Amino acid sequence: MGGDGATSEERVAIVTGASRGLGRAIALAFAAKGVRPVVTARDGAALDEVAAAARSEGAPDALAVAADLSQTGEPQRVVEAALARFGRIDILVNNAGATKRGDFLALPDEDHLAGFALKYHATVRFCRSAWPHLARAGGAIVNISGIGAQTPVAEFTIGGPVNSALVNFTKAIAARGLHEGIRINCLCPGHIETDRLTDRIHALGEREGLPEAEARERLRQEYGIGRFGKPGDIAAAVLFLCSQEASYIHGATIVVDGGATPGI
Ligand SMILES: NC(=O)c1ccc[n+]([C@@H]2O[C@H](COP(=O)([O-])OP(=O)(O)OC[C@H]3O[C@@H](n4cnc5c(N)ncnc54)[C@H](OP(=O)(O)O)[C@@H]3O)[C@@H](O)[C@H]2O)c1
């Protein structure tokens, strides 16, 4: 049930960055509960595949909207497309993100600006555009940040600050959402098995001349975790945060990292 008494089948969830990785898993997890996902990212063909998978999971009305979300007007266009199709928005998961890693001195302004344009500014724009509709539905927002928000690392000078900004922004709008019936939380994934992690494993393998399995094991040990996370670990946490069972969780930053974060 939604905040306004809507059934699962009536609820609508916008999931950004849903063409692969965490966003895809989150969208399909909503679909399996009958919630209608609106999936968005740039790759239209991949989105169509996700929408088709969502339909067979149990959401016959899944909608795909291709968009470059780093562009100013695009979040609002996606919100309008969701409203045109369904007339309501219950859930917003801001997940799209692609910040470059690397040596700080080698990362130009353009990479910093692009990192913020997508992961931070698109989140702000989605929250603003969807706000009155979420308020009407008694809805929920989950902003996907990352453990780099709390644990800065030298090779993550774009992603870390973007993630910290999202934690701060989430808390700030949660103070407003409290009085307007929108529940807002932030989720920080740790090291989860998506293309981003595979890229890191390959980069380490190439740098150190290691076969993939060894590079993977080296990275796991470096991160001090028993295993890498699965996209389903994050999807399960997002679904919980959007459920009635989590109705008293508001303005929180939830870390889902298999114990990777060393501090408190
Ligand atoms: N995986 C992890 O270990 C981890 C850890 C901490 C935080 N996170 C965060 O979790 C989120 C998802 O990560 P992931 O691992 O699933 O990443 P991923 O596999 O690289 O997927 C990123 C998603 O963002 C979309 N995207 C990229 N640029 C876009 C743009 N300009 N406009 C619209 N969509 C765009 C991609 O789709 P298109 O290419 O089709 O546009 C894709 O759907 C990110 O915000 C990331 O920072 C991940």
Side-chain angles (χ1 to χ4, degrees), residues 16-24 40-44 46-47 67-71 94-99 101 118-119 144-148 156 163 166 187-197 199-200:
T16 77
S19 60
R20 58 177 189 269
L22 302 187
R24 181 181 193 279
T40 183
R42 290 166 305 179
D43 184 340
L47 284 178
D68 180 347
L69 300 175
S70 64
Q71 302 303 306
N94 288 299
N95 163 78
T99 51
R101 290 175 176 269
L118 176 61
K119 193 163 174 173
I144 305 294
S145 172
I147 55 172
F156 204 46
N163 285 335
L166 281 173
L187 193 154
C188 294
H191 307 291
I192 316 297
E193 304 220 35
T194 67
D195 292 351
R196 290 168 64 78
L197 183 72
D199 290 347
R200 256 181 280 163

Side-chain angles (χ1 to χ4, degrees), residues 145-153 159-161 163-164 167 186-189 252-257 261-264:
S145 172
I147 55 172
Q150 291 134 326
T151 308
V153 286
N163 285 335
S164 293
V167 170
C186 194
L187 193 154
C188 294
T253 300
I254 309 284
V255 173
V256 182
D257 71 348
T261 299
I264 55 171

